[in-house]
Amino acid sequence: MGGIDVFIDNINYIGAFILFVIGLYTVLTHSNLLKRIIGVNIMETSIFLFFVSIGYIKGAQAPIIDMALGDIVYVNPLPSAMILTGIVVAVSITAYALSLIIRIHEAYGSIDLNDILRPKEGESNE
Amino acid sequence: MNSTHFPVYILLILLITAIIIPLKKGRYDGLFRIEMSIALGLALLLSFILFMDVYRTQAFYYTFGSWDSTIGIQFLVDDFSALMTLVVLFVATLIIIYSLRDIEHEIQKEQLFSYYSLIFLLLFSMIGMIFTNDLFNMYVFMEILSLTSCGIISIKRKKENLLASFKYLMLGAIGSVSILMGIALLYMVTGHLNMLAVRETISSVWQLYPRNILISLGFILTGLGIKAAIFPLHIWLPDAHSNAPTPSSALLSGLVVKVYVFAMGKILFRVIGQDIVKAILVPDYLTYFAATSMIMGSVFAIGQKDIKRLLAYSSVAQIGYIFLGIGLATELGFSAGLFHVISHALMKSSLFLSAGAVIYQTGKRDIRNLDGIGYLMPVSMGVFSLAALGMIGVPGLNGFMSKWYLSLAVLDAGKPVFLLVILISSFLNSIYYLPIIISAFLRDSKERENVMVIDNLPKSMMIPMVILSIACLLTGLFPNIIMNIIEKAVPTFIL
């Protein structure tokens, strides 16, 4: 029984790591450039989940301090605030990568790495 | 004059210049160049005054908006970060002066404003990363740095540049994601992001969570390893650095990579601490990777025909030296690594600039076509030879001094096998650098007679190269100028 409890209590962290690995696998194995960007986005999302989970306390209140309520437990707001910055960074990376893909498509006529690199086979490294 | 606010002034000058440049709808003319030079000169002057003040008095913490350091962002301005800022701005100023003429050949006219805007953002983020004492702040600066460094590669409208910068962007994104994961794990253990607070907490509780710290260090080091291009993770570097416009290559290879290495030193020694890092055996693995990097980078460089690609692979080998110094985890080793950070920044940027000058004047990139080029372009090839000899480790140049310090550190740490690696790597360096020098000065050119003429280059391109090689000579002849500062700064890292 203990194993299941540990699993349920840490479901956020386990989920974050599964997402991280899925994202990494997508980035490394897919030859389609668009899918690689999706992979990077999945990885980033997994970290956001992980970071926010650190600040979460079960049964705690949202961190809006009301003196009348007295001493109650609040969720740590700092990770959520940092993740806002993280999301902005992720969006800018995605935007830049997508614009690069548009240029690559203009230049090579494809966004699949197998097609892009095929004509180069047989050439020497010069 | 009180220099407390100077770090922020330097950052603000660079950031505001980066924002103003694209707003100006003027032409790319003399006025624009003068304005840019004034901004850079001002930043350089401020960093020099800041460095002198810090050197004479002591390191200080700068808290933004007077927030408490546990909540707010903090800068730590110590001797080495002030020196590093000075070096970054000095080399970058020379590269930008060089780029004023060279860049017109490489990219389209309407892109020039965005190019300089990106360059200033790049400098801004590098200096932010050097000063910052906050883990998440470091991550944000790192992201700006990786985006802008991709930007200054892809700005050249060539097919290869697009693929190179896409590769760099993807690997860089994986690297930054790993670093953020490592930071999250550290935050989970300690509840702090301020480096000093993290260190205090970790040093008292690390026996409870050794595995957690090991995993987080693994993530952070992998991420920084990708960005600093240590051997198995270097695959993006040759494409990115060789295809980029010459000033970008010099900036990326000379400065950007070093900033990541410095960040790694900060995390290993200032955040985690020497004892803990040694106890979980991280530095040992770092030295193994460094040794393979030193050998394999040089081996790959031997096979290259394109001069800029050769220099890029040589960077991989030279990064190995710095990592070796850090991986020894002793005071001597870390000082040697930091010394090589500075000497490699000077050597590699003068190599890239002189190679770029050859491409600018003759259009030749293939090292087999460089016969007799030393008579056509004596200044450029002189600068190239001086820096290349420094890379090989000829006494009197700064490359020799960093190898000397590194060898002493290796012997001091009781790992003489790495001395052998340093020697082999030096021989390999000479295998690919000497033929270029020999064919440039001793072979007959096929097209013209070997008559000495002076380079047909603009003065604004020649003077920065010459200043850089004089700096190489000076730091080689008087290494104590830099070593004194480093020796004063290193004990604050390794407490």
Side-chain angles (χ1 to χ4, degrees):
Chain A
M1 284 303 284
I4 293 173
D5 281 347
V6 169
F7 182 76
I8 291 173
D9 284 347
N10 297 314
I11 188 84
N12 289 354
Y13 301 114
I14 294 165
F17 268 94
I18 290 173
L19 277 178
F20 189 88
V21 175
I22 290 174
L24 189 62
Y25 179 79
T26 317
V27 180
L28 296 182
T29 54
H30 279 271
S31 62
N32 189 320
L33 299 181
L34 211 53
K35 285 184 182 167
R36 289 189 172 206
I37 294 179
I38 295 172
V40 166
N41 268 305
I42 294 174
M43 281 172 89
E44 277 159 350
T45 314
S46 80
I47 309 252
F48 300 158
L49 173 62
F50 188 86
F51 233 119
V52 174
S53 310
I54 297 171
Y56 176 72
I57 301 164
K58 205 172 182 184
Q61 296 284 319
I64 305 165
I65 295 181
D66 186 356
M67 291 304 178
L69 290 173
D71 236 8
I72 49 170
V73 182
Y74 296 109
V75 168
N76 184 359
L78 203 59
S80 319
M82 285 187 297
I83 284 322
L84 276 181
T85 318
I87 290 171
V88 173
V89 168
V91 167
S92 49
I93 288 184
T94 313
Y96 177 60
L98 288 176
S99 67
L100 264 183
I101 285 187
I102 294 175
R103 292 242 178 264
I104 288 175
H105 189 262
E106 280 172 9
Y108 291 90
S110 167
I111 56 166
D112 196 291
L113 267 187
N114 291 336
D115 293 343
I116 292 171
L117 298 177
R118 190 170 297 141
K120 277 195 171 175
E121 280 175 18
E123 280 181 22
S124 58
N125 181 22
E126 283 185 24
Chain B
M1 196 176 166
N2 188 357
S3 63
T4 318
H5 295 287
F6 279 11
V8 187
Y9 290 162
I10 297 170
L11 285 183
L12 278 181
I13 290 173
L14 296 171
L15 186 59
I16 291 171
T17 320
I19 294 167
I20 287 177
I21 289 173
L23 290 181
K24 272 173 59 84
K25 290 210 177 84
R27 284 177 297 119
Y28 180 71
D29 54 9
L31 186 67
F32 168 69
R33 293 177 196 179
I34 290 168
E35 283 166 354
M36 223 162 52
S37 316
I38 289 173
L40 266 177
L42 205 59
L44 191 60
L45 183 73
L46 287 184
S47 70
F48 183 70
I49 298 172
L50 175 70
F51 166 67
M52 290 311 285
D53 267 16
V54 171
Y55 185 61
R56 250 187 267 127
T57 56
Q58 56 173 0
F60 63 90
Y61 289 97
Y62 184 92
T63 37
F64 278 81
S66 301
W67 285 94
D68 187 37
S69 67
T70 47
I71 308 174
I73 289 167
Q74 199 178 40
F75 273 9
L76 169 56
V77 186
D78 65 357
D79 298 71
F80 189 75
S81 55
L83 174 71
M84 183 108 174
T85 310
L86 185 61
V87 171
V88 165
L89 281 173
F90 172 71
V91 176
T93 310
L94 292 176
I95 292 171
I96 289 175
I97 293 172
Y98 173 97
S99 77
L100 290 174
R101 293 299 296 276
D102 180 63
I103 201 69
E104 290 172 0
H105 276 241
E106 306 241 22
I107 61 178
Q108 290 155 356
K109 262 226 145 68
E110 61 270 19
Q111 299 278 343
L112 285 167
F113 286 99
S114 0
Y115 184 74
Y116 283 110
S117 183
L118 282 172
I119 294 265
F120 274 91
L121 272 180
L122 184 91
L123 291 178
F124 159 77
S125 52
M126 273 200 279
I127 289 166
M129 247 179 98
I130 292 169
F131 278 138
T132 189
N133 198 32
D134 183 279
L135 286 171
F136 195 76
N137 194 232
M138 194 181 83
Y139 164 75
V140 174
F141 277 125
M142 200 181 294
E143 284 296 343
I144 305 174
L145 185 52
S146 60
L147 270 179
T148 45
S149 41
C150 287
I152 61 173
I153 298 166
S154 69
I155 201 155
K156 192 172 170 183
R157 291 283 162 78
K158 271 179 67 190
K159 274 181 160 187
E160 294 82 19
N161 284 48
L162 297 172
L163 269 190
S165 50
F166 190 81
K167 203 174 183 184
Y168 186 14
L169 184 71
M170 280 299 111
L171 282 165
I174 295 174
S176 11
V177 164
S178 315
I179 292 167
L180 190 57
M181 190 59 125
I183 292 174
L185 285 163
L186 275 183
Y187 182 70
M188 202 172 160
V189 180
T190 62
H192 291 292
L193 286 167
N194 185 285
M195 292 188 185
L196 207 70
V198 170
R199 187 201 175 90
E200 276 165 13
T201 321
I202 280 189
S203 55
S204 57
V205 299
W206 75 275
Q207 276 98 348
L208 292 177
Y209 309 101
R211 205 164 291 163
N212 201 323
I213 290 172
L214 185 64
I215 293 171
S216 95
L217 256 188
F219 272 115
I220 294 180
L221 292 189
T222 315
L224 285 172
I226 291 176
K227 282 161 176 283
I230 194 156
F231 167 62
L233 309 169
H234 71 282
I235 42 169
W236 58 269
L237 186 138
D239 287 340
H241 287 195
S242 63
N243 288 325
T246 307
S248 310
S249 318
L251 277 172
L252 291 171
S253 218
L255 302 174
V256 172
V257 170
K258 308 297 156 31
V259 176
Y260 292 122
V261 176
F262 183 52
M264 184 181 279
K266 263 185 178 176
I267 284 183
L268 279 180
F269 298 120
R270 197 173 271 163
V271 179
I272 312 287
Q274 189 190 11
D275 301 334
I276 303 169
V277 166
K278 270 191 172 169
I280 52 180
L281 295 178
V282 169
D284 287 347
Y285 290 100
L286 216 52
T287 48
Y288 303 148
F289 281 117
T292 29
S293 192
M294 282 156 71
I295 304 284
M296 293 313 288
S298 306
V299 169
F300 281 127
I302 291 170
Q304 301 307 316
K305 299 285 176 282
D306 181 305
I307 187 161
K308 281 176 82 175
R309 223 177 153 77
L310 183 145
L311 294 178
Y313 271 111
S314 152
S315 278
V316 177
Q318 300 293 323
I319 291 297
Y321 285 86
I322 306 172
F323 272 83
L324 180 62
I326 293 176
L328 291 174
T330 56
E331 279 196 25
L332 274 177
F334 195 48
S335 337
L338 292 183
F339 186 84
H340 198 57
V341 164
I342 289 171
S343 62
H344 183 244
L346 295 171
M347 287 189 290
K348 192 42 70 75
S349 33
S350 52
L351 278 173
F352 263 115
L353 292 190
S354 46
V358 173
I359 297 170
Y360 177 88
Q361 192 181 335
T362 64
K364 287 174 182 164
R365 293 179 67 116
D366 196 318
I367 55 170
R368 290 167 298 189
N369 298 336
L370 293 183
D371 293 351
I373 199 117
Y375 293 91
L376 184 66
M377 314 182 66
V379 178
S380 311
M381 282 321 286
V383 170
F384 186 92
S385 314
L386 201 72
L389 291 176
M391 284 282 179
I392 296 165
V394 173
L397 292 160
N398 51 4
F400 171 73
M401 287 321 293
S402 44
K403 279 181 193 179
W404 177 257
Y405 287 129
L406 200 59
S407 316
L408 288 181
V410 163
L411 290 179
D412 179 67
K415 292 172 179 165
V417 69
F418 289 113
L419 193 61
L420 200 66
V421 176
I422 295 174
L423 278 177
I424 294 173
S425 172
S426 302
F427 286 132
L428 291 172
N429 280 349
S430 54
I431 289 179
Y432 59 86
Y433 276 127
L434 282 180
I436 302 177
I437 302 175
I438 290 171
S439 65
F441 284 106
L442 301 178
R443 288 235 182 89
D444 292 332
S445 168
K446 287 170 196 120
E447 295 145 23
R448 58 187 286 281
E449 285 194 31
N450 279 348
V451 187
M452 193 71 93
V453 291
I454 208 79
D455 312 29
N456 183 20
L457 288 174
K459 285 222 169 43
S460 67
M461 284 173 73
M462 277 209 284
I463 293 169
M465 290 194 293
V466 174
I467 294 177
L468 273 175
S469 65
I470 291 172
C472 284
L473 257 179
L474 281 181
T475 45
L477 292 175
F478 308 104
N480 280 337
I481 308 172
I482 291 173
M483 213 52 195
N484 283 344
I485 302 158
I486 290 174
E487 273 167 1
K488 198 174 155 215
V490 162
T492 61
F493 275 89
I494 302 177
L495 291 170

